[in-house]
Amino acid sequence: MSEKNRDKKSTWALLISIVALLLCLLVLALWVFEVMPHSVIAPDSFIGACVSLLAVVVTLAVGSQIVNIMEVKSTQKACEGKVKQVETELNGMLTDIKNQQEAIEEDKNHNLHIHHYSLAMLAEMHKSYPSAIHYYIGALLFGMKMKESLENEKNVIQRIRFCLSRCNDLTSFPVKFREKLKKNDAEIRTMSNYRWIKEEYEPLFEEFMTKILEK
């Protein structure tokens, strides 16, 4: 309903209320000043006419209220429909945002996997085998975090085994790498797909930890 129509209906309702009030006051005044006994119209007829008029006014007022109630219900249904539409659109937007966040997270894990694997290969080429193992473990972690795995875990474990075979019994290893290594290892062990590599990974990691020394 437009604002103009609401104003018109409010004006009519106010006018009807004023008319009804004036008629009531008129009947009261005629009764008090005893005009009716001097009139050519019989009192019963006059009162009957007033009552009929008041009944018409009341009927109009009741009818107006019924129309208003119907319009309120209609407006309420329209609002409920709009609310449901907004909720549906909002849920769709939230789903899209969630999907985008998951895609971003997947891309991040993929890029970090490639990044760590590249650093590990570079360290291996320079025969810096402890650092290579550190980066291979990082590559393993981010590869396992991916929902669509590259299935590179077996290859990474093979590279770790190779690098470990090239390490001396006591190998110096930076403290900052050591702490990061422990953190990555702890996170790898919490992954749901850890059970597939556990048997091969754990002995390699424990052997590596026994060989490295802090600088």
Side-chain angles (χ1 to χ4, degrees):
M1 184 191 298
S2 65
E3 199 69 31
K4 188 175 181 180
N5 290 335
R6 287 199 195 96
D7 293 339
K8 284 184 178 180
K9 291 195 173 183
S10 299
T11 302
W12 277 108
L14 180 62
L15 290 174
I16 291 172
S17 300
I18 292 173
V19 170
L21 181 61
L22 290 176
L23 286 173
C24 291
L25 292 175
L26 179 61
V27 171
L28 180 62
L30 291 173
W31 192 272
V32 170
F33 292 106
E34 296 182 351
V35 174
M36 285 185 287
H38 306 287
S39 175
V40 294
I41 302 173
D44 292 340
S45 299
F46 181 78
I47 293 174
C50 290
V51 170
S52 298
L53 185 57
L54 289 174
V56 171
V57 172
V58 170
T59 301
L60 291 174
V62 171
S64 176
Q65 292 299 320
I66 292 173
V67 171
N68 287 335
I69 290 171
M70 292 176 65
E71 289 180 349
V72 168
K73 287 185 176 180
S74 177
T75 304
Q76 184 179 4
K77 287 182 179 179
C79 290
E80 288 176 355
K82 289 182 180 179
V83 168
K84 289 181 179 179
Q85 182 181 357
V86 170
E87 287 179 351
T88 301
E89 292 177 355
L90 182 59
N91 289 333
M93 292 172 64
L94 291 175
T95 301
D96 291 341
I97 291 172
K98 184 179 178 181
N99 292 336
Q100 290 175 4
Q101 288 177 336
E102 290 177 353
I104 292 171
E105 186 70 17
E106 186 76 356
D107 288 342
K108 184 190 78 172
N109 291 329
H110 178 270
N111 292 335
L112 286 172
H113 170 74
I114 299 299
H115 174 69
H116 279 76
Y117 195 87
S118 300
L119 291 175
M121 291 182 65
L122 186 62
E124 186 178 339
M125 288 175 59
H126 288 84
K127 297 183 180 181
S128 180
Y129 297 113
S131 295
I133 292 173
H134 164 68
Y135 288 122
Y136 276 130
I137 289 175
L140 182 63
L141 170 62
F142 292 108
M144 293 174 67
K145 282 185 173 183
M146 294 174 60
K147 289 186 177 180
E148 296 182 4
S149 175
L150 298 178
E151 298 182 359
N152 198 28
E153 292 84 1
K154 295 292 183 181
N155 178 56
V156 172
I157 289 177
Q158 288 177 4
R159 299 317 307 164
I160 292 174
R161 183 179 291 111
F162 173 81
C163 292
L164 189 59
S165 68
R166 296 295 189 273
C167 289
N168 299 324
D169 290 340
L170 296 176
T171 304
S172 63
F173 194 69
V175 176
K176 60 178 182 179
F177 282 1
R178 189 184 183 95
E179 295 301 319
K180 184 65 175 178
L181 181 68
K182 290 180 179 179
K183 182 179 178 182
N184 288 345
D185 171 68
E187 193 169 357
I188 285 173
R189 293 171 189 261
T190 62
M191 304 297 293
S192 60
N193 49 354
Y194 174 65
R195 62 185 182 276
W196 303 112
I197 65 167
K198 179 179 179 180
E199 187 175 347
E200 294 183 85
Y201 170 78
E202 286 188 359
L204 294 175
F205 184 80
E206 290 170 6
E207 182 182 350
F208 180 55
M209 292 300 291
T210 59
K211 287 187 174 183
I212 60 176
L213 288 175
E214 298 180 8
K215 268 188 178 180

